Amino acid sequence: MPELPEVETVCRGLRSHSVGKTIAAVQCNRPDIRFPLPENMAERLHNRTITAVERRAKYVLWYCAAKEGDSGEVLATHLGMTGRLLYHAVLADAAPKKHDHVCVTFADGSGIVFNDARRFGYMLLAPEHALLASSHFAVLGVEPLEAAFDGHYLHAKCKRSSSPIKLLIMNQKIVVGVGNIYASEALYRAQLHPETPANQLKQAQCSALVAAIKQVLAEAIESGGSTLRDYVRSSGDVGYFQHHFAVYGREGEPCHMCTTPIRRIVQSGRASFYCGQCQPLHVV
DNA sequence: AAATGAACCTGTTTGC
DNA sequence: TGCAAACAGGTTCATT
């Protein structure tokens, strides 16, 4: 479900409600999500205080203060396609709802529930250095909103790949956080056909694409993300960026720039949307 | 090596 | 109306 703007929005919401709070209880209702829940997660988290909530790629990271015998651990959550992290001002004694896999209750009675119908999401718990060295994090590419992601970086990656540019920018090993929606939206803004072989892109086109990715992600964060089906903020409120889509989900509707009907194709099993007029495929 | 497809799950929408 | 197929924000593994 969530791409970078949605995860960032959830992260910001949770930060304001969890930093400084102490975990009183962790209830694991269903251990068989994508990866099994961390061993002894409940007791390892018990009595820890949340010192920070951060985002890395599409993960939400809770920094949990040290206890006797260790220097603190980080709880990482990936939301998969349908995962939600919902804050409840009063959680104690509430009965879990369907797909509420983990409930974290704070000492003040508030809490956070991890709900995920499809169970593609998962949790990891480890000291920060171990988490970052794990197979999940070690392979992650650059953050798209950071300076390291620039036209030069993308061009260097593109030169070595003949894969369609849409797939390349969705590859988390190259740049993180860009998923199926924002890939189509960014390519439209950069006026690049999603099937363009990456190694055909010139430096200037890569720079334009980088700018488009940064722009669309930033705007989506401003709007609280995009709510199509499942995504909600930690408050339960929806996002609004779906009203600003130029191409995603608009098959047959007119392009905002030239009125040509938007096309839908399937790449690697995922729907791609583009304007055939504004995003021509140049075949060399 | 690189690229497509299937698989993992459940829920909702679409089409006959 | 009913049922089946298609589809969904992600990632990984197996097969060409």
Side-chain angles (χ1 to χ4, degrees), chain A residues 4-5 145 212-224 241:
Chain A
L4 185 148
L145 296 177
I213 290 170
K214 289 175 186 281
Q215 187 185 55
V216 73
L217 294 179
E219 288 177 20
I221 291 170
E222 283 288 307
S223 299
F241 193 73

Side-chain angles (χ1 to χ4, degrees), chain A residues 5-281:
Chain A
E6 290 73 38
V7 179
E8 178 64 27
T9 301
V10 166
C11 188
R12 291 180 183 184
L14 292 174
R15 181 180 299 141
S16 61
H17 289 298
S18 55
V19 170
K21 293 187 180 179
T22 299
I23 296 171
V26 177
Q27 186 184 340
C28 302
N29 302 318
R30 178 148 193 177
D32 60 328
I33 54 180
R34 170 127 200 220
F35 302 115
L37 290 173
E39 255 183 78
N40 303 323
M41 182 170 75
E43 53 190 74
R44 284 162 69 186
L45 289 176
H46 181 66
N47 271 342
R48 287 189 191 275
T49 298
I50 310 294
T51 57
V53 180
E54 304 293 337
R55 178 192 59 75
R56 167 68 170 127
K58 297 173 186 171
Y59 294 86
V60 175
L61 308 180
W62 273 275
Y63 284 79
C64 303
K67 291 202 293 194
E68 264 184 69
D70 70 63
S71 54
E73 293 198 279
V74 181
L75 176 65
T77 303
H78 195 296
L79 298 177
M81 289 277 261
T82 52
R84 302 175 172 190
L85 287 168
L86 280 171
Y87 171 76
H88 296 266
V90 181
L91 181 62
D93 301 329
K97 299 207 172 88
K98 197 172 188 183
H99 307 307
D100 282 353
H101 305 314
V102 178
C103 300
V104 176
T105 308
F106 296 121
D108 68 356
S110 66
I112 292 161
V113 172
F114 175 54
N115 177 292
D116 184 4
R118 290 174 77 175
R119 286 186 280 131
F120 288 174
Y122 53 93
M123 289 181 157
L124 306 169
L125 180 61
E128 182 178 26
H129 62 87
L131 183 73
L132 298 182
S134 71
S135 60
H136 297 97
F137 281 78
V139 297
L140 294 176
V142 300
E143 284 288 334
L145 296 177
E146 291 184 357
F149 184 56
D150 59 15
H152 181 76
Y153 173 88
L154 184 61
H155 191 225
K157 296 294 184 185
C158 284
K159 278 194 285 193
R160 299 199 274 111
S161 173
S162 59
S163 85
I165 186 60
K166 185 198 177 216
L167 270 53
L168 187 137
I169 60 175
M170 288 175 66
N171 183 346
Q172 304 297 301
K173 292 176 181 172
I174 292 175
V175 58
V176 300
V178 179
N180 201 43
I181 291 177
Y182 298 108
S184 280
E185 291 297 315
L187 288 165
Y188 174 78
R189 292 183 183 213
Q191 303 195 14
L192 295 171
H193 192 292
E195 289 179 309
T196 309
N199 55 16
Q200 284 190 20
L201 293 186
K202 309 242 185 314
Q203 165 84 46
Q205 293 175 303
C206 289
S207 296
L209 182 52
V210 165
I213 290 170
K214 289 175 186 281
Q215 187 185 55
V216 73
L217 294 179
E219 288 177 20
I221 291 170
E222 283 288 307
S223 299
S226 304
T227 297
L228 296 184
R229 294 166 188 80
D230 301 304
Y231 164 73
V232 289
R233 303 169 175 234
S234 60
S235 60
D237 296 331
V238 300
Y240 292 97
F241 193 73
Q242 65 276 12
H243 302 302
H244 300 284
F245 290 166
V247 290
Y248 188 86
R250 296 193 62 241
E251 181 183 16
E253 294 174 44
C255 168
H256 293 322
M257 292 196 285
C258 74
T259 74
T260 300
I262 298 300
R263 291 186 194 166
R264 177 188 189 275
I265 59 172
V266 175
Q267 295 178 275
S268 286
R270 315 294 303 278
S272 301
F273 299 87
Y274 68 100
C275 171
Q277 187 73 32
C278 299
Q279 300 166 263
L281 179 60

